């Protein structure tokens, strides 16, 4: 109680005033900081999760940066010339997307990503994951397109090449700004090389470069395939940019598989034959049908995959039990073994293949269908890029032994 009799208690009336002054100053400072952090057009309608705040912050920086410039290739991933109503497979579309991203890197511009990717019906029939003839199951795979961010992690991608979606508020802001800037706002280019776009001063300060005037698909337009030094992004770039939910599903399956090997067996869309004028069947890949049959696969991979190993098989072969003969030597695993993980995630075959691709990338030994480079392993020696030479299919071993 003696502490209440301390003479210093005379100063007590001044303490609340001091505390109140400090509080007012602190509140004012917080309000000032809040005002600085919230800018025109910044919406607070979405839940303020850490992820949303991160994305909004990045959009804010992109939207209002005076130096930000954009590259637009239209709202279609792949529009092959006169056949724009058709839709190429995921491989072609990724080839287009990858080289368009490379051009954005080369020009140091933000790439305007189409918000959706079309799905080729040929590549979206029920795959190995769903074999049922149930109509409801069939309907799940009937989508003609899917959201781009359901396939790829755009925030992760932006660490290498800054991207925005063409249905985003940032893009609408860019379009309205380009209209106000007049001749400095947008340049519609056709047949102009990316080197010219970078070197010519007339394009330097243009806000938006628009490539949609070109009737060609991206992968034919924006990259010289014979000039390897022009390739800025490796083939592995887009597979590693898979959306988080697809990466998480692949990681769960990887963990369950443990130590395993993998093969990718491409059959369905590549086993094309036609009859010549004498009625003889000919194929663009004369050894492919033979080399992707179980008995020949066993022979081919025996030197790379020891007996008893777990072998994950990804394939577009739809004949049930087609690869069962491989079980005499290996423990076989398919996507269909993990439907409890995949069913809540997968909406189409593109997503399924992206997950399978991640699983194959995690294998100790991965064997492709076609040989990609000097260091890759493959089931067949037929070139992936055929020469349009139709040859008689070969089904014998050509004197080779396992």
């Amino acid at each position: 109680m003696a502490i209440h009799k301390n003479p210093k208690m005379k100063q007590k009336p001044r303490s609340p005033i001091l505390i109140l002054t400090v509080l007012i100053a602190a509140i004012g400072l917080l309000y000032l900081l809040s005002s600085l952090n919230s800018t025109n057009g910044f919406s607070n309608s979405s839940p303020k999760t850490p992820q949303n705040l991160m994305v909004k912050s990045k959009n804010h920086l992109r939207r209002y940066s005076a130096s930000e410039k954009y590259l637009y290739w239209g709202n279609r991933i792949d529009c092959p010339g006169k056949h724009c109503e058709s839709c190429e497979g995921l491989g072609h579309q990724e080839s287009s997307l990858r080289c368009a991203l490379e051009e954005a890197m080369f020009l140091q511009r933000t790439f305007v990503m189409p918000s959706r990717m079309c799905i080729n019906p040929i590549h979206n029939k029920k795959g190995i994951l769903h074999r049922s003839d149930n109509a409801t199951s069939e309907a799940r795979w009937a989508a003609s397109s899917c959201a781009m961010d359901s396939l790829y992690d755009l925030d992760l991608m932006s660490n290498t090449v800054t991207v925005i979606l063409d249905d985003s508020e940032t893009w609408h802001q860019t379009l309205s700004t380009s209209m106000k800037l007049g001749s400095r706002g947008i340049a519609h280019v056709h047949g102009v090389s990316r080197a010219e776009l970078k070197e010519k001063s007339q394009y330097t300060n243009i806000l938006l470069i628009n490539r949609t005037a070109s009737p060609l698909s991206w992968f034919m337009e924006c990259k010289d395939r014979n000039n390897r030094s022009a390739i800025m992004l490796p083939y592995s770039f887009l597979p590693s940019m898979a959306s988080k939910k697809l990466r998480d599903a692949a990681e769960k399956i990887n963990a369950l598989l443990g130590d395993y090997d993998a093969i990718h067996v491409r059959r369905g869309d590549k086993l094309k034959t036609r009859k010549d004028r004498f009625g003889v069947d000919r194929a663009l890949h004369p050894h492919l049908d033979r080399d992707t049959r179980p008995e020949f696969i066993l022979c081919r991979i025996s030197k790379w995959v020891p007996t008893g190993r777990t072998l994950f098989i990804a394939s577009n072969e739809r004949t049930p039990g087609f690869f069962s003969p491989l079980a005499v030597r290996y423990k076989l695993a398919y996507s269909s073994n993990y439907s409890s993980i995949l069913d809540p995630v997968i909406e189409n075959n593109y997503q399924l293949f992206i997950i399978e691709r991640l699983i194959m990338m995690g294998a100790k030994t991965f064997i492709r269908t076609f040989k990609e480079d000097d260091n890759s392993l493959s089931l067949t020696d037929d070139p992936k890029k055929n020469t349009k030479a139709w040859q008689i299919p070969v089904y014998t071993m050509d004197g080779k032994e396992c």
Side-chain angles (χ1 to χ4, degrees):
M1 293 297 168
I3 193 170
H4 292 290
K5 296 179 181 179
N6 194 309
K8 291 184 178 180
M9 288 298 293
K10 294 178 182 179
Q11 298 177 7
K12 185 175 180 180
R14 293 162 55 185
S15 296
I17 296 175
L18 179 61
I19 293 171
L20 184 60
T21 302
V22 172
L23 285 174
I24 292 173
I27 292 171
L29 181 60
L30 288 173
Y31 179 78
L32 177 61
L33 290 174
S34 176
S35 299
L36 290 173
N37 284 332
S38 74
T39 55
N40 295 335
F42 190 88
S43 172
N44 292 317
S45 58
S46 302
K48 295 184 179 180
T49 63
Q51 185 177 4
N52 285 343
L53 289 175
M54 176 183 69
V55 173
K56 286 181 177 179
S57 176
K58 289 166 69 175
N59 285 341
H60 162 68
L61 291 173
R62 288 201 297 264
R63 185 183 303 166
Y64 295 100
S65 172
S67 62
E68 195 74 19
K69 296 180 178 65
Y70 299 85
L71 175 67
Y72 180 61
W73 270 90
N75 62 355
R76 288 288 300 270
I77 283 294
D78 189 28
C79 178
K82 299 177 181 179
H83 308 287
C84 288
E85 293 305 313
S86 65
C87 174
E88 292 294 328
L90 181 64
H92 274 293
Q93 299 201 61
E94 285 193 333
S95 178
S96 296
L97 178 55
R98 189 169 60 251
C99 84
L101 288 168
E102 286 178 352
E103 183 169 85
M105 288 179 67
F106 183 80
L107 298 176
Q108 296 182 321
R109 286 176 172 265
T110 293
F111 179 65
V112 183
M113 177 91 77
S115 57
R116 299 192 69 80
M117 178 186 283
C118 69
I119 300 178
N120 190 320
I122 295 175
H123 299 286
N124 201 36
K125 293 178 181 177
K126 289 178 297 181
I128 201 167
L129 181 62
H130 292 279
R131 299 177 184 274
S132 171
D133 291 329
N134 183 286
T136 303
S137 178
E138 185 74 54
R140 282 191 58 193
W141 299 83
S144 60
S145 69
C146 61
M148 191 66 69
D149 56 9
S150 73
L151 302 177
Y152 306 107
D153 186 331
L154 304 186
D155 290 324
L156 184 62
M157 192 180 293
S158 290
N159 291 332
T160 303
V161 190
T162 307
V163 298
I164 61 170
L165 291 176
D166 67 2
D167 63 352
S168 65
E169 187 178 336
T170 304
W171 175 233
H172 294 310
Q173 176 87 10
T174 301
L175 286 177
S176 62
T177 302
S178 69
M179 290 187 284
K180 295 173 185 176
L181 291 175
S183 60
R184 294 182 296 109
I186 185 169
H188 299 279
V189 297
H190 175 60
V192 182
S193 70
R194 67 181 188 181
E196 290 179 277
L197 292 176
K198 187 171 186 178
E199 294 166 4
K200 289 190 175 181
S201 58
Q202 68 194 81
Y203 301 114
T204 303
N205 294 319
I206 295 291
L207 173 66
L208 174 62
I209 290 178
N210 176 28
R211 278 275 196 193
T212 28
S214 172
L216 298 175
S217 55
W218 292 357
F219 61 91
M220 293 176 64
E221 168 71 16
C222 72
K223 181 172 69 180
D224 179 2
R225 288 182 174 273
N226 297 318
N227 180 9
R228 302 299 297 178
S229 63
I231 299 175
M232 303 171 70
L233 293 172
Y235 170 82
S236 60
F237 178 72
L238 284 174
S240 65
M241 294 294 113
S243 67
K244 188 176 185 305
K245 72 173 184 178
L246 301 185
R247 294 200 313 269
D248 288 346
E251 287 176 8
K252 290 176 183 177
I253 296 173
N254 283 350
L256 293 173
L257 284 168
D259 183 20
Y260 65 99
D261 304 299
I263 58 174
H264 179 214
V265 191
R266 190 170 179 182
R267 284 180 55 83
D269 63 320
K270 287 293 184 180
L271 298 182
K272 296 178 180 178
T273 61
R274 72 180 185 187
K275 295 185 182 299
D276 62 17
R277 60 195 180 102
F278 301 107
V280 178
D281 284 338
R282 292 181 176 271
L284 290 173
H285 306 284
H287 302 90
L288 181 63
D289 191 9
R290 179 200 71 179
D291 292 343
T292 54
R293 291 175 180 267
E295 59 271 28
F296 292 94
I297 292 175
L298 280 171
C299 178
R300 179 81 168 189
I301 72 174
S302 60
K303 54 184 174 291
W304 302 319
V305 184
T307 299
R309 295 278 297 170
T310 296
L311 184 65
F312 179 81
I313 302 173
S315 178
N316 59 355
E317 172 59 52
R318 293 186 174 88
T319 303
F322 184 83
F323 298 106
S324 296
L326 296 176
V328 300
R329 189 180 297 166
Y330 306 111
K331 301 169 187 173
L332 306 184
Y334 307 91
S335 300
S336 55
N337 299 140
Y338 305 98
S339 57
S340 61
I341 296 174
L342 296 177
D343 274 344
V345 175
I346 297 299
E347 298 171 354
N348 54 65
N349 257 3
Y350 283 8
Q351 291 177 322
L352 174 60
F353 179 66
I354 287 174
I355 291 178
E356 287 183 327
R357 190 166 56 184
L358 290 171
I359 295 170
M360 291 186 284
M361 289 169 63
K364 181 178 181 180
T365 302
F366 171 44
I367 303 166
R368 296 175 169 85
T369 303
F370 299 97
K371 199 171 185 65
E372 300 283 348
D373 52 59
D374 294 338
N375 298 319
S376 65
L377 304 177
S378 65
L379 296 176
T380 184
D381 292 324
D382 285 354
K384 184 177 181 179
K385 302 297 181 183
N386 61 69
T387 59
K388 302 300 181 184
W390 292 82
Q391 305 171 53
I392 298 175
V394 177
Y395 292 98
T396 62
M397 285 296 290
D398 299 330
K400 296 179 181 179
E401 295 182 2
C402 293

